[in-house]
Amino acid sequence: MAVSPEYKEFVAEQLEPLGSVRIRNMFGGAGVYLDDLMFGLIAGETLFFKVDDRNRADYVAEGSGPFIYEPPSGKTIAMSYYELPERLYDEPVELIDWARKALDAALATKAAKPVPRKSWNTRKKAARPGKHDARLER
C-alpha cells in the first residue's frame, strides 16, 4: 500500500495551519508528524488520525472505523487511528479541529507511557568498581 507523493503533498497542504507537519514513510505507508509526535497515519490514499476516548465517538458517529493491520501471523489488529471522514476535506477549518484533537490524543498517549528507566544491570560494569577491579588490587 504505497502512498503517492501527490497524496502526501495534499495531506501536508491540508494540515499546513498546524505548523511544520512532516510525513515520513514507514512500513509501506506513512506517518504524519508535528514535531516528533505522530498523530496521523496514511495507508494507500487514506488518512487516519489518532483517537482516544475523547474523540473516538466523533469518528464512530461519522461511520469511520479504525486502521486494521494484518500481520503475516494472520491475527487482525485494530489500531488507535481512525479514518478521517471524507467530507472533512471540503471543510478545512473542521479538518484542522479534528487534527488538533488527534494531536491531543497522541500527547495523552505519550504522557501515559511510563518513562523507561535504566536498571543497575544495564549500566556498564566498568563504571562501578568491583572486588576484581585491577585498580583496587594494588
Side-chain angles (χ1 to χ4, degrees):
M1 263 197 207
V3 181
S4 72
E6 295 82 15
Y7 190 73
K8 289 181 203 175
E9 185 177 325
F10 170 73
V11 169
E13 287 174 5
Q14 295 292 309
L15 300 174
E16 194 171 12
L18 294 174
S20 182
V21 171
R22 290 177 299 130
I23 299 176
R24 293 192 263 179
N25 292 333
M26 54 182 276
F27 309 110
V32 181
Y33 294 81
L34 183 65
D35 298 324
D36 289 328
L37 185 65
M38 184 173 157
F39 70 98
L41 172 70
I42 302 172
E45 303 291 297
T46 305
L47 177 60
F48 298 82
F49 277 156
K50 181 75 171 167
V51 300
D52 64 8
D53 291 339
R54 295 173 292 184
N55 66 342
R56 185 177 293 107
D58 297 338
Y59 292 84
V60 173
E62 294 274 350
S64 295
F67 174 75
I68 305 291
Y69 174 66
E70 297 178 26
S73 66
K75 181 180 178 182
T76 301
I77 301 168
M79 298 184 68
S80 61
Y81 291 86
Y82 275 53
E83 184 175 350
L84 186 70
E86 196 169 317
R87 73 170 183 81
L88 293 176
Y89 294 110
D90 295 325
E91 301 290 338
V93 173
E94 193 174 357
L95 187 148
I96 293 302
D97 184 48
W98 284 52
R100 286 192 174 107
K101 290 178 184 178
L103 282 164
D104 288 344
L107 281 169
T109 300
K110 184 177 180 178
K113 289 183 181 178
V115 176
R117 290 180 23 175
K118 288 186 178 182
S119 71
W120 180 256
N121 293 334
T122 61
R123 295 181 186 164
K124 291 183 180 180
K125 290 184 179 181
R128 60 178 190 209
K131 66 180 182 179
H132 298 291
D133 191 329
R135 295 174 293 184
L136 296 177
E137 293 179 6
R138 290 186 194 171

